[in-house]
Amino acid sequence: MAQSATVAIYPQIVNRIPKILISEAVSKYMTDYRSKGVRHADAIYTLLFHQLSGSVSMRDTILGMSSCKDNGYEQHSGYKALKRSTLSYVLAHRDYRVLEALYAALYKLYKPGLKGRLSEKRFGRPVYSVDSTTLILCLSVFEWAHYSRSKGAVKLHTMLNNDTLLPEVIVATDGKVGDVTAARDIMKFPAGSIVVMDRGYNDYKLFAQLTSDDVHFITRLKKDAQHTKLTDAVRSVDPNGKWGDYETCLTSEQAIASGNCVYRVVQWYDDENDRWFEFITNDFDLKPQEIAMLYRDRWQIELFFKKIKQNLRIKDFLGTSFNAVMSQVWCAAIAVLMLEVLRLQSTYAWSFSNLAHNLRLNLLSFRKLEDWLNSPGIAAIPEDPSAQQELFSTA
């Protein structure tokens, strides 16, 4: 049966992040150099509280951290609650890449417990979904976030690992930078991996670059793509007429100029939607069924964007600089990672949204974190019930 705890749930979550990982990230970027007593780690955990508590403003976050302080947060975690002015200064001046490095270290630490869903189990190599999501901003406030004449925006170009369902790369640009430009000129993909993209990434230079880098891609073929007849190079055809596998050569000037124009096209009939899909890839070993399945699984990145937008704070920002925005984005990524770790370690059948919502309501509860995760509906019971006083006791 669940027992009482002397430490609130939030400090227990904080203590699951090894302090050495924060120290290494801070030391790498020297963000505590001449800091006059203000540690970057204190701000990181204040931002994490902002994400997990669902606070709507900086004032709301600081008030919540004050409650944490009263509940022994500083005593049990070793970190201090900050004032609004201090947090605002840190967001503006402390390099956000510390949070990016911390996320990468935590991902490496917890990845063994998150693996096994898809890629390494079935394909022996990592599978990534690539896409971007746009966060609309007020151009008059976020002057760096160029998008249109009347709107500002920041675009998060993301590479999601389909095995862990967590991002391994997030590259932020202003809203004007296209998806193809980011994938071709900014993002780097591991050699030997499979990258699945939607039709918006159709670019012959990108195709040639990925092929040269030994990266296998899968995407939709554009309807107006110029190529040799598929029937001229048939690899195989389904006897039931559900799919066809062909080798083709792209014949447009842009494709020829890219230096690589020979690819594989798989036609696939989707029974559920009663329509045909055409996929283009540079992988000649995967089965047609696997190619169709991997493209269907690309939808996981859309679900990831939906997850963080609905459950975390990445649409309203505590600062207006690019550094402040990215600090909050990477802290949201850390929050997603920690929530997934807690969810998978629990014996209770949590969904991500339910865990995020219920944790928000119990951050300052005095329960053992493991007990609450496994039995959220059972209230904490004192170790010695007889020690409780009656309501109208005169003792």
Side-chain angles (χ1 to χ4, degrees), residues 119-143:
S119 56
E120 295 189 10
K121 181 178 180 180
R122 297 192 56 177
F123 302 99
R125 47 185 166 160
V127 176
Y128 300 105
S129 292
V130 177
D131 207 345
S132 70
T133 186
T134 301
L135 308 178
I136 301 300
L137 304 173
C138 178
L139 186 59
S140 62
V141 177
F142 300 84
E143 298 179 354

Side-chain angles (χ1 to χ4, degrees), residues 44 60 67 92 112 117 122 142 149 193 225 267 311 323 361 377 391:
I44 290 173
D60 197 15
S67 299
R117 174 187 173 271
R122 297 192 56 177
F142 300 84
R149 295 180 63 181
S193 62
Q267 292 181 331
N311 296 287
N323 192 77
L361 301 175
L391 178 62

